[in-house]
Amino acid sequence: MNLNDLLASDVVDTAGQRLGEVSDFHFVLDAAGGQLLSPARLVGIVVSPRTAASFLGFERQDLTQPWPVAQLLRWWHRGSFLVLWEDIAVMGPREVRLRPGFTAYDARLTR
């Protein structure tokens, strides 16, 4: 299975209640020794309660133009949250089940 297979999968809590769909993935670059191409590490998944459609980059807090598009996409993805990789209990092509007591983090990016 690759990450693309997880897009639009339902995300459920331990009781089986649907929380949303996988809409994106968050990675960090492990910049070791000033390398030009640092290895990327998967941090978690972004869960959107309404749609698996892309944020188109508008999850970045400083991206505000064009204004109507930014406002529409932020409204459409309101309530989205980030779930860390370690909070995922079971992952399949149609459903992602979270661990008990998972933490929902802000999905917006500062840069």
Side-chain angles (χ1 to χ4, degrees):
M1 177 186 317
N2 62 41
L3 290 179
N4 193 45
D5 295 336
L6 291 176
L7 286 173
S9 295
D10 285 336
V11 178
V12 298
D13 62 11
T14 54
Q17 180 179 355
R18 186 180 179 280
L19 302 173
E21 298 178 5
V22 177
S23 66
D24 206 351
F25 305 95
H26 275 207
F27 289 86
V28 294
L29 295 177
D30 293 327
Q35 295 177 342
L36 180 60
L37 297 174
S38 301
R41 182 172 41 87
L42 180 63
V43 173
I45 61 173
V46 177
V47 179
S48 180
R50 286 166 199 80
T51 181
S54 173
F55 280 87
L56 300 176
F58 285 94
E59 71 275 17
R60 290 168 178 79
Q61 292 178 359
D62 58 347
L63 193 58
T64 59
Q65 299 296 326
W67 183 84
V69 174
Q71 295 303 314
L72 176 67
L73 287 170
R74 287 195 179 116
W75 173 80
W76 188 252
H77 285 286
R78 68 191 183 281
S80 294
F81 58 95
L82 171 69
V83 176
L84 298 182
W85 186 251
E86 49 270 7
D87 281 337
I88 297 173
V90 179
M91 189 177 343
R94 292 193 176 98
E95 182 179 274
V96 175
R97 185 172 298 272
L98 303 180
R99 294 189 187 283
F102 75 93
T103 302
Y105 294 94
D106 191 351
R108 295 176 295 171
L109 299 173
T110 55
R111 284 250 163 218

